[in-house]
Structure formats: structure tokens, C-alpha cells
Amino acid sequence: NPNNEKCFNTSCAELPEEIRSKLKYKPGAAATKLKQLKKADVLVVDPPRKGLEAEVLEALTGSDCPDLKTLLYVSCGFPALQRNLAALQASGWKLTHAAGYLLFPGADHLETFCVLNR
């Protein structure tokens, strides 16, 4: 979405500087950003309906990102979310919150927001 970065920056402007200075907007295919996961402690993923790319799921379920403690997962594809959550939970992630949202009136699906911690 061409408006994502503007929305991110607008939202960040409302936060205290000590938090704002820690946030970065890194657009691109998740699989191309795997090296950056090694430094992250919080990650937001919003995969397409098919779910997380295999390389990303492997990194999140393996030992590639030891400092990553919180995963915020936004999903528009519930079957893929179920598969991804099963793999994540089997590797030690704990689902601590889940909620469904109808973000697009008239749409035939919910967006699901999940918080996972380890």
C-alpha cells in the first residue's frame, strides 16, 4: 500500500521520543529482511492470505532470531493463520492475545490480530 509509510510516520509522531527513536519502517518482502531479525526484539508481520513465507516461518521457529520476544501477527487468511500459529506454538511461541476485526465493511472475511510471546 503506497500510504503505509505515511500512516506509520503519522502514528509514530504521536509517540514519546524514546519510543519513536527505536521504531523503523522497513518495507519489502519479509524473506529479504531476515538478517535484520537478528537484532529485533519485536516484529510485526502482515502476510498475504497464503500466510508467512516458508523462509520467514523457519526463521521464527528456529534459532535465527534469539532476541525476538514479541510477534505481532495481522492476518487476512484464517486457514494460513491456523497453520502458522500451529508451527509457531510448537516451537515455543505462546499466543497471548487474539482478536478479529472487520476492517472493510462488506468484506467476506475478518482481519485477525494476534500477539505471541516467547
Side-chain angles (χ1 to χ4, degrees):
N1 182 327
N3 297 311
N4 284 353
E5 187 168 9
K6 181 180 177 186
C7 291
F8 175 84
N9 290 331
T10 300
S11 297
C12 286
E14 301 294 320
L15 298 170
E17 174 57 31
E18 65 270 11
I19 294 173
R20 198 171 48 236
S21 65
K22 297 177 183 179
L23 301 174
K24 293 180 179 55
Y25 182 77
K26 300 281 188 171
T32 67
K33 306 292 183 187
L34 292 177
K35 287 182 184 177
Q36 296 171 5
L37 286 181
K38 295 177 190 226
K39 299 182 233 173
D41 57 353
V42 177
L43 178 66
V44 179
V45 294
D46 185 2
R49 288 181 195 253
K50 68 178 181 165
L52 293 170
E53 297 173 37
E55 300 93 338
V56 175
L57 189 57
E58 184 177 316
L60 294 173
T61 57
S63 58
D64 290 353
C65 40
D67 294 335
L68 188 59
K69 302 296 182 219
T70 303
L71 178 62
L72 306 175
Y73 192 127
V74 180
S75 174
C76 63
F78 197 73
L81 173 64
Q82 288 177 300
R83 286 191 308 273
N84 289 167
L85 285 178
L88 290 163
Q89 289 176 306
S91 72
W93 287 95
K94 306 277 186 253
L95 180 63
T96 58
H97 177 81
Y101 297 92
L102 181 58
L103 297 180
F104 308 104
D108 63 350
H109 70 280
L110 294 175
E111 299 284 327
T112 306
F113 173 72
C114 298
V115 178
L116 296 102
N117 293 292
R118 64 173 175 187

